[in-house]
Amino acid sequence: MGDIQFSAFRFALQDFVPTLARVSVQFTILGSGSSGNCAYLETDEARLLIDAGLSTRQIRNRLLTIGRTPENLTGILVTHEHHDHIQGLAVLATKLSVPIYCNRLTKEAIELLVEAPVRCNIFSTGASFDVNDVRVDTFSVPHDAYDPVGFLLHTHAGQIGFLTDLGHATKLVIERVRTANVLVLEANHDLKLLQDDTRRPWSIKQRILSRHGHLSNAAAAEAAEQIVSAELRHLYLGHLSGDCNRPEIALATVNERLARLGAAHVSVAAASQDVPCATLSVGSQTPACPTGTA
Ligand SMILES: [Zn+2]
Ligand SMILES: [Zn+2]
């Protein structure tokens, strides 16, 4: 009897100790919107940016708000070469020698844009690779860039999916992020606000609305409905247009759809262009962005 009790205690202790010893996985969207996108993921062994679409100064300042500096980054994962995803990339790569991870066509497009060679760790779209203790799955998304990708990042505390800059949600992308516990999903524009916008020429509107443009709020709600699972806990709506969307409209559209499904376990927040979201401890139940930062 005594032996049984002892071994039960020993197993309980073994289960407990590694949990205490591990640093939690922290995720912070430093900024997301049509003008710039950058997120930060920290694990025991990795400090990663996902895109570097803010100015280097903004990336530094926003990392400082969470007590981090660009000098300590272990890598930058790049989805595609558009300005709002690489604005701060060249300086971080050249001055601070932060390793970049992107596919070959994206590297070539970046080099054309910055008019200088950029050293990259090249991955093939669709492949997976490791950056220290983070496993990175890559997959193709339909968007008007050379070889745009989404990511699913596997950490010991959970999986984080990135699905922004896509004209429509293909079966492939839905499948690739279905196991995510945290998901950044594009909700770029409200259809009516975009149609009524007088500053954009029709050709630009057509580009945004095309199957290789950006997801509307309604399309984001549709995608969320297809992706949502019992494992999905935190849904960030990202890449909101400053002119053709409002956080409250995007949130209402997606929340209404999830409510109809009875998916009350998903915390939905709109990321902001201007200020970082509150840091999320991946695997915890704490809310994503506090209301009011969106
Ligand atoms: Zn973008
Ligand atoms: Zn883009």
Side-chain angles (χ1 to χ4, degrees), residues 80 82 84-85 143-144 165 207 214 239:
H80 64 299
H82 287 163
D84 56 313
H85 297 262
H143 185 57
D144 54 0
D165 296 73
R207 194 219 127 211
H214 292 278
H239 214 292

Coordinates of all heavy atoms in Angstrom, one line a residue, residues 80 82 84-85 143-144 165 207 214 239, ligand 2:
H80 N 5.9 37.6 -47.0 CA 6.0 38.0 -48.4 C 6.7 39.4 -48.5 O 6.9 40.0 -47.4 CB 4.7 38.0 -49.2 CG 3.6 38.9 -48.6 ND1 3.2 38.9 -47.3 CD2 3.0 39.9 -49.2 CE1 2.2 39.8 -47.2 NE2 2.1 40.5 -48.3
H82 N 5.8 42.4 -49.6 CA 5.1 43.7 -49.6 C 5.7 44.6 -48.4 O 6.0 44.2 -47.4 CB 3.6 43.6 -49.4 CG 3.0 43.0 -50.7 ND1 1.7 42.5 -50.8 CD2 3.5 43.0 -52.0 CE1 1.5 42.1 -52.0 NE2 2.5 42.4 -52.8
D84 N 4.5 46.6 -46.2 CA 3.9 46.5 -44.9 C 4.3 45.2 -44.1 O 3.8 45.0 -43.0 CB 2.4 46.6 -44.9 CG 1.7 45.6 -45.8 OD1 2.2 45.4 -46.9 OD2 0.7 45.0 -45.4
H85 N 5.2 44.5 -44.7 CA 5.7 43.2 -44.1 C 7.2 43.2 -43.9 O 7.8 42.4 -43.2 CB 5.2 42.0 -44.8 CG 3.8 41.9 -44.7 ND1 3.1 41.1 -43.8 CD2 2.8 42.5 -45.5 CE1 1.8 41.3 -44.0 NE2 1.6 42.1 -45.0
H143 N -2.3 35.4 -52.9 CA -2.1 36.9 -52.7 C -1.2 37.4 -53.8 O -0.4 36.6 -54.3 CB -1.5 37.1 -51.3 CG -1.4 38.5 -50.9 ND1 -2.4 39.4 -50.8 CD2 -0.3 39.2 -50.5 CE1 -2.0 40.6 -50.4 NE2 -0.7 40.5 -50.2
D144 N -1.3 38.7 -54.1 CA -0.6 39.2 -55.3 C 0.9 39.5 -54.9 O 1.3 40.7 -55.1 CB -1.3 40.4 -55.9 CG -1.6 41.5 -54.9 OD1 -1.2 41.3 -53.7 OD2 -2.2 42.5 -55.3
D165 N -3.1 38.5 -45.5 CA -2.8 38.8 -46.9 C -3.1 37.6 -47.8 O -2.3 36.9 -48.3 CB -1.3 39.1 -47.0 CG -0.9 40.4 -46.3 OD1 -0.9 40.4 -45.1 OD2 -0.7 41.4 -47.0
R207 N -8.3 45.3 -57.0 CA -7.1 44.5 -56.6 C -7.4 43.9 -55.2 O -7.2 42.8 -54.9 CB -5.9 45.4 -56.6 CG -4.6 44.6 -56.4 CD -3.6 45.3 -55.5 NE -3.1 44.4 -54.5 CZ -2.8 44.8 -53.3 NH1 -2.9 46.0 -52.9 NH2 -2.4 43.9 -52.4
H214 N -7.3 40.8 -50.5 CA -7.3 40.7 -49.1 C -8.7 40.2 -48.6 O -9.7 40.5 -49.3 CB -7.1 42.1 -48.5 CG -5.7 42.6 -48.7 ND1 -4.6 42.2 -47.8 CD2 -5.1 43.4 -49.6 CE1 -3.5 42.7 -48.2 NE2 -3.8 43.5 -49.3
H239 N -4.5 43.0 -39.8 CA -4.4 43.6 -41.1 C -5.6 44.5 -41.5 O -6.0 44.5 -42.6 CB -4.1 42.6 -42.2 CG -3.2 43.0 -43.3 ND1 -3.6 44.0 -44.2 CD2 -2.0 42.7 -43.7 CE1 -2.7 44.2 -45.1 NE2 -1.6 43.4 -44.8
Ligands
ZN2 ZN 0.6 41.8 -49.0

